[in-house]
Amino acid sequence: MRLISRVIFRELLVSSILGASMFTFIVFLQRARTLFEFLVRTSGSPVEVAYLFLLVLPQVIPLTIPLGVLVGTLLTLSRMSTDGEITAMRAGGVPGWRVLPPIAGYGFLALLVAAGCSVWLKPWSLREFDRVENILASHELTADIQPRVWEEQFPNMILWVADLQPGPVSRIRRMFMADVTPPEERKPGSTDRGESPRITVATDALGITDPKHNRIQLDMHNCETYEMDKDNNYHISGAPLCAQGLQAQKKEEHPSRPSGQMDTGPLYRASYRTPGLDRAELLDDRQELHWRFAIPLACILLALCGAPLGITTRRAGKSMAVILTVVIGLAYWIGLGACINLARQGTLKPEVAVWIPDAVFALLGLMMIARLEKPGDHDIIGNFLSYVRLLGRPQPRGVRVLDRIGPRAWAMRMPLLPQIVDTYVLASFIFYWVLLITSFVLIFHVFTFFELLSDIIKNHQPMERVLTYHFFLTPRLIYDFTPVSVLAAVLVAFGVLSKHNEITAFKACGISVYRLCVPVLAAGVVLSGSLFAFDHYWVPDADRRQDALRNQIKGKAPQTYLRPDRKWIYGTQDRIYYYKYYDSKENAMMGVNVYEIDPRYFRLKAYITAERARWEPAINAWEFQNGRRWDMDPSCADCTPDKPDNFAGSTRTFKEIEETPSYFMHEVRQSQQMNFEELEKYIAELQQSGFDTIPLQVKLNQKFSKPLFALIMAIVSIPFAFVAGNRGAMAGVGMSLGIAIAYWSVSQLFEQVGNLNQLPPRIAAWGPDVIFALAGLYFLARMRT
C-alpha cells in the first residue's frame, strides 16, 4: 500500500469509527430506557443485563456502519481538499481518482463487518435477546408492592398498603386486600359466598418474597375478614395472626418475529423452497432475506457517492461533511422505505424493491467519479456557501451604523460588556450547536421513520399524517438532544481553536481561558432557561399530538386519557370505592361497594352495597339505588354487624360521601404531556386516590433538573475541550461521545432506581446534575491558564 493510501486509510478509519459510534449511540437511545429498567427491576445479575446491552449492538450496527463509512469519507476528503492536499496531488501528477482505492478497500472491509452482523449476528442476537429476556422475566419477582397503590398483578386479588419498608422481609403497615374471584372459579368450599369481594384488613404485616415460585407470603397481624353470603348476611371473622399467600402473575414471553430471527439458510428455503406460504408472510421473508445483503453493500456505494463530493468541497470544511452525511443517508433510507412500500402493495417484487436504492446510488456514484477529472470541476457546495455569506454582508446602511458606533468603542473595553472575542467564540459555538442538534434530530427522524415503516404500510397511513407526526416529534427531540449538542459543540469549537493555535494567541494577548469560557457559559444559562420555557409552553402539547398520531400510525384505537375502567378508588376520608363499571356520560356507578374504614383501628365501620349509584346535581349528592348499608363497631373484633339498612326497591343518599364524579374520572396523562404546574396538581390528585405517583414525582423534579443540564454540560466539556489540543474537532467528537454515554447511563440509572422508590424523587432527579456539576467544577478549577 502506498503512502497516500495508508494516510487516507488511517484517517478514514478513525473518522468512520467515531461517526458510526455516534450514530449507534443515537439509535441505541431508543432501547436504553427499557434496558436500564431491566437492570434495576430484574433479579438478574448485572452481567446478564450487560449481556442484553451487547446483544442490541448487532441489531443496530448494520444500519449505522454505512453512515459511518460515508461520514468518514466526507470528513477525510473534505479535510484534504480544504487544506489543499488534493490540489497538491493533482499538481504533482496524481489524479483525483487515486484516493478511491483505499476508500473502496475500507468500504469492502466495512461491508464484511456489516454483512456478518446482518446475515449471521443479527438473527442470532434477536433470538438470544428474547431468550435471555424471557429467562430474566421468569426469575423477576413481579410482586413488588408500592405504598398507596392498587396492586392488580395478583390473579383475582387486589392489594393496597398504606406504607411499606422494602427488604428481604418487607414490613407493611395498614393493609387492605380484596378477593375478587368470580363465583364460577371459586373453590368448592366457597360456593355460598355472594358476588361481593371478600375483604381482609390488617393493621400490619410481614411480606416474605419467594422469587423461585414468584409469590409473596403475608403474615398479617390483627387481621379481619368481611364476607357477604348469597342470602345477604354479612360475616366477620378475625384473628391476632393469619397468613395469606399471593401468587404473582407471570409475565408473558415476548413474541418473536420469525423472519427476522431465522438464520439466513432457513430463511432462503422458506422464501423460495417452501410452497403454500401466505402471501404476506412470503413477502416479509423475501424482503428480510434481500435486506440482509442490500444494506451491507451500501457501505461501498455511499462511500463512492461521498468521495467526489468530498474531493470537490474545498471551502466548506468538516461541518459540511456532517450535513452531507445526513442528507445522503436520509435520501437512501427514505428511498428504501418507499420501495419496500411499493413491494408490500404488490407494485414491485421484493427482490427488485430492496435493491433499487443500491442501484441508484451505484449509478450516481459512477457518474460523479467519471466526471471527477473532467474540466469544469467546480466546488458547487463551496460556491453556494460563498453566495450565502455574500447575502449576509453589511449593506451601506449597516456600515453607517457601525461608523456611528465607532466613536463609542471605549464601551467595548469594559470587562462586563461583550467583547469582540466573545462574539468570535460565541459564533463558533452557536454554529456547531445548530449543526449538531440538526444532525441528531434528522438522524433520529430517519431511524424512527424506518422503524414505523411496516406500520405505515400495514395500516395504509397517508404520508401527510406521517410527516405531521415527525413535525410534532421534533420539539421533544430538540429538548432531549440539546444537552448533548451543547457538550459536543463546546468540545468541537474549542478543539478547533486549539488546533489552529488561536488559544495560544489569546493567552499571549493576556486573555485567560476562563475569560474565553464566559460567552459559552452565558449561552449555557440562556439555553437552560430556554429549555425550561420550551418544556413549559410547547413540548407538552406537541407530545400529546405526536402520541396520538403515533397510535394512529400503529393502528391503535384513538387514545383516551380518561380511565373509567379503574374499579378501585381510595376516597378522601378513609373510604374505598369498588364498582364494576362507571358510566361517565350518566355519572353513574354500577355494582358499587363502599367500604368506610376507621382510621384508629383500621377496621370497617360501615359498608354500603348497591346495584347503582347516580350523581344528582340538584341535591349535590350520590343517590344509591336498591342496596343495603351495614354499620359496625370498629373497636370490637368479631362483633356481629348491626341490622342492615335495607333500601331494596328504593334510594338512599349519604351526606358523608363527599367525592364528586370528577374524582372518579382522573385524567391519565403521561408526565411529558404536562408542564410542571399541571403535573404537580395531577400528582396531588392521584395520591389521594391511592395511585402510584413515585415515577411522576421523579418526572416532576426532572422538569427542573433536565433543563439545567445544558449549562452543566457546558461546564463539564470546557476542561476536556482544552485537553483535546491539536487533535482538533474529531477528538472533541470522540470525547463528547464518551461523556454523553456516561451522562445517559447515570441519568437512566438514577431515574429507574427512583421509580422503584429506592431513592427519594429529588435525589433521583437531581443526582446526575450534582455529580456532573461537581466533576465539571473540579476539572474547571484545575485548568491551566
Side-chain angles (χ1 to χ4, degrees):
M1 185 182 291
R2 294 184 179 181
L3 177 61
I4 185 173
S5 298
R6 292 198 299 270
V7 171
I8 294 175
F9 189 88
R10 284 198 299 265
E11 188 171 351
L12 178 60
L13 176 65
V14 175
S15 300
S16 62
I17 289 177
L18 285 176
S21 301
M22 180 180 65
F23 299 140
T24 302
F25 173 68
I26 294 173
V27 180
F28 185 77
L29 292 180
Q30 299 183 20
R31 306 289 297 273
R33 177 179 293 273
T34 304
L35 294 176
F36 271 100
E37 185 175 352
F38 234 123
L39 175 63
V40 176
R41 290 181 178 271
T42 62
S43 57
S45 64
V47 175
E48 292 175 312
V49 180
Y51 184 48
L52 284 180
F53 276 83
L54 293 177
L55 289 175
V56 176
L57 295 180
Q59 306 169 28
V60 176
I61 285 177
L63 304 177
T64 56
I65 285 183
L67 292 180
V69 174
L70 175 60
V71 71
T73 301
L74 289 170
L75 286 172
T76 300
L77 296 183
S78 62
R79 198 275 308 164
M80 295 176 64
S81 181
T82 303
D83 293 346
E85 295 180 19
I86 298 294
T87 303
M89 285 172 47
R90 287 174 169 172
V94 180
W97 59 263
R98 184 62 187 80
V99 303
L100 296 179
I103 292 176
Y106 181 80
F108 180 74
L109 295 178
L111 181 149
L112 295 179
V113 176
C117 292
S118 178
V119 175
W120 175 64
L121 282 180
K122 181 184 175 183
W124 170 81
S125 66
L126 287 172
R127 295 195 306 269
E128 185 71 3
F129 187 92
D130 281 353
R131 185 188 68 82
V132 176
E133 190 176 23
N134 290 329
I135 290 176
L136 291 178
S138 65
H139 288 86
E140 179 185 357
L141 181 61
T142 57
D144 50 339
I145 305 172
Q146 295 294 326
R148 300 187 62 82
V149 176
W150 291 105
E151 298 288 350
E152 302 181 10
Q153 60 201 20
F154 309 101
N156 298 322
M157 298 295 291
I158 306 296
L159 184 65
W160 182 94
V161 299
D163 191 19
L164 180 140
Q165 296 179 1
V169 178
S170 301
R171 298 184 179 274
I172 301 172
R173 187 177 65 87
R174 295 197 172 187
M175 187 189 70
F176 180 95
M177 184 167 55
D179 184 353
V180 293
T181 305
E184 64 274 8
E185 298 180 9
R186 292 171 183 169
K187 296 180 180 180
S190 304
T191 55
D192 56 342
R193 284 174 49 188
E195 295 186 359
S196 298
R198 182 176 62 183
I199 304 301
T200 301
V201 296
T203 56
D204 56 278
L206 297 178
I208 304 173
T209 60
D210 185 4
K212 182 177 180 180
H213 299 92
N214 198 36
R215 60 183 279 120
I216 289 180
Q217 180 66 33
L218 294 174
D219 294 332
M220 297 174 284
H221 300 258
N222 301 323
C223 62
E224 287 199 354
T225 302
Y226 304 85
E227 187 174 11
M228 186 171 64
D229 59 21
K230 292 182 178 180
D231 298 327
N232 296 323
N233 297 317
Y234 212 68
H235 303 277
I236 303 177
S237 61
L241 296 173
C242 55
Q244 173 74 48
L246 294 180
Q247 183 69 41
Q249 186 176 4
K250 292 184 178 181
K251 290 187 176 182
E252 298 181 358
E253 293 190 355
H254 300 280
S256 61
R257 180 175 180 265
S259 60
Q261 297 189 359
M262 291 175 62
D263 288 329
T264 304
L267 181 62
Y268 170 77
R269 290 190 291 271
S271 301
Y272 293 99
R273 301 294 178 85
T274 304
L277 288 180
D278 181 69
R279 180 181 179 276
E281 185 177 355
L282 184 64
L283 286 175
D284 284 340
D285 290 344
R286 293 185 176 181
Q287 171 195 313
E288 174 69 21
L289 177 64
H290 289 274
W291 186 89
R292 292 183 183 181
F293 294 95
I295 295 299
L297 187 60
C299 295
I300 295 179
L301 300 180
L302 294 182
L304 292 179
C305 290
L309 292 175
I311 292 174
T312 58
T313 304
R314 293 188 292 270
R315 284 174 288 178
K318 294 182 179 180
S319 58
M320 184 54 63
V322 178
I323 296 176
L324 287 176
T325 300
V326 174
V327 172
I328 295 174
L330 186 67
Y332 180 84
W333 290 113
I334 289 181
L336 180 61
C339 292
I340 293 177
N341 188 12
L342 294 176
R344 288 182 176 268
Q345 294 176 357
T347 306
L348 292 174
K349 292 183 178 181
E351 298 88 342
V352 177
V354 176
W355 291 96
I356 287 179
D358 285 4
V360 171
F361 275 83
L363 181 61
L364 183 62
L366 292 175
M367 291 175 57
M368 289 191 294
I369 291 174
R371 285 188 48 85
L372 196 57
E373 296 301 321
K374 290 186 177 181
D377 177 18
H378 299 293
D379 183 7
I380 301 176
I381 299 175
N383 292 336
F384 173 76
L385 293 179
S386 299
Y387 177 72
V388 172
R389 295 188 187 100
L390 182 62
L391 294 178
R393 288 181 179 175
Q395 300 299 319
R397 180 179 177 181
V399 174
R400 291 195 297 270
V401 173
L402 294 176
D403 290 341
R404 290 196 298 268
I405 295 178
R408 305 176 185 177
W410 59 269
M412 304 300 291
R413 293 190 292 270
M414 297 295 292
L416 297 180
L417 296 179
Q419 309 290 307
I420 296 178
V421 65
D422 297 324
T423 305
Y424 183 72
V425 173
L426 190 60
S428 178
F429 165 75
I430 292 177
F431 171 78
Y432 287 111
W433 176 75
V434 173
L435 173 63
L436 289 167
I437 196 170
T438 303
S439 302
F440 292 160
V441 169
L442 289 178
I443 291 170
F444 203 94
H445 274 307
V446 168
F447 288 103
T448 302
F449 174 82
F450 197 75
E451 179 189 14
L452 295 175
L453 182 60
S454 59
D455 295 309
I456 296 171
I457 297 169
K458 179 176 63 177
N459 300 314
H460 307 287
Q461 296 296 321
M463 190 56 62
E464 180 182 0
R465 179 174 298 165
V466 176
L467 295 177
T468 305
Y469 162 71
H470 282 276
F471 175 79
F472 286 106
L473 178 64
T474 302
R476 168 56 57 183
L477 298 181
I478 294 175
Y479 180 81
D480 288 340
F481 284 124
T482 291
V484 179
S485 301
V486 169
L487 168 68
V490 173
L491 288 167
V492 172
F494 283 116
V496 172
L497 293 177
S498 298
K499 182 179 180 180
H500 295 160
N501 295 321
E502 294 177 84
I503 299 297
T504 303
F506 284 127
K507 290 180 179 180
C509 295
I511 300 177
S512 167
V513 292
Y514 290 116
R515 180 63 183 85
L516 293 176
C517 301
V518 170
V520 173
L521 294 177
V525 173
V526 173
L527 285 175
S528 292
S530 301
L531 282 181
F532 180 80
F534 195 51
D535 181 52
H536 187 77
Y537 294 106
W538 289 285
V539 177
D541 183 63
D543 279 340
R544 285 193 289 267
R545 297 287 300 274
Q546 63 104 349
D547 284 341
L549 291 169
R550 186 181 180 90
N551 287 332
Q552 295 181 29
I553 292 173
K554 284 188 166 292
K556 297 180 180 180
Q559 187 174 6
T560 175
Y561 296 104
L562 297 179
R563 293 293 304 276
D565 59 325
R566 291 192 182 275
K567 298 181 179 181
W568 293 90
I569 300 291
Y570 202 99
T572 57
Q573 300 294 331
D574 292 301
R575 194 175 292 110
I576 295 174
Y577 295 86
Y578 166 70
Y579 46 81
K580 295 181 178 179
Y581 176 71
Y582 188 93
D583 189 346
S584 58
K585 295 182 179 179
E586 297 290 335
N587 286 329
M589 294 181 283
M590 311 300 178
V592 60
N593 297 266
V594 183
Y595 305 92
E596 190 167 349
I597 299 177
D598 182 83
R600 180 180 179 183
Y601 300 98
F602 202 71
R603 297 192 183 108
L604 292 189
K605 67 178 181 180
Y607 169 62
I608 303 172
T609 180
E611 181 181 315
R612 173 186 169 96
R614 184 175 179 275
W615 177 259
E616 290 293 341
I619 59 176
N620 199 32
W622 288 96
E623 188 178 75
F624 290 79
Q625 304 172 6
N626 194 21
R628 293 174 178 80
R629 174 192 172 106
W630 284 268
D631 290 305
M632 310 164 196
D633 184 3
S635 63
C636 177
D638 295 337
C639 290
T640 303
D642 297 337
K643 185 177 181 181
D645 177 13
N646 190 339
F647 52 93
S650 60
T651 62
R652 287 286 191 279
T653 58
F654 305 98
K655 295 182 180 180
E656 64 269 21
I657 298 180
E658 304 173 349
E659 290 81 6
T660 61
S662 61
Y663 190 83
F664 300 91
M665 294 295 293
H666 286 301
E667 189 178 8
V668 179
R669 291 158 63 181
Q670 299 178 3
S671 59
Q672 64 266 25
Q673 297 175 344
M674 295 175 281
N675 57 39
F676 77 93
E677 294 177 340
E678 297 170 337
L679 183 56
E680 192 173 23
K681 181 179 179 181
Y682 182 62
I683 290 174
E685 294 174 351
L686 292 185
Q687 282 179 332
Q688 188 63 46
S689 301
F691 299 148
D692 183 11
T693 62
I694 294 299
L696 293 178
Q697 292 181 46
V698 175
K699 292 293 185 182
L700 175 62
N701 286 274
Q702 286 181 341
K703 295 284 185 181
F704 300 92
S705 64
K706 276 194 171 182
L708 191 62
F709 226 90
L711 173 61
I712 295 175
M713 283 290 96
I715 296 174
V716 171
S717 58
I718 287 174
F720 291 95
F722 293 107
V723 171
N726 293 329
R727 286 170 285 184
M730 293 312 298
V733 172
M735 288 185 178
S736 65
L737 184 62
I739 298 175
I741 292 175
Y743 156 63
W744 281 104
S745 301
V746 173
S747 178
Q748 289 293 326
L749 183 61
F750 269 69
E751 179 180 350
Q752 295 302 328
V753 173
N755 289 343
L756 289 178
N757 202 19
Q758 300 299 313
L759 280 177
R762 287 187 178 87
I763 295 179
W766 289 94
D769 287 49
V770 174
I771 292 174
F772 279 85
L774 292 177
L777 292 174
Y778 172 77
F779 288 112
L780 196 65
R782 291 179 59 87
M783 283 197 312
R784 298 179 62 185
T785 178

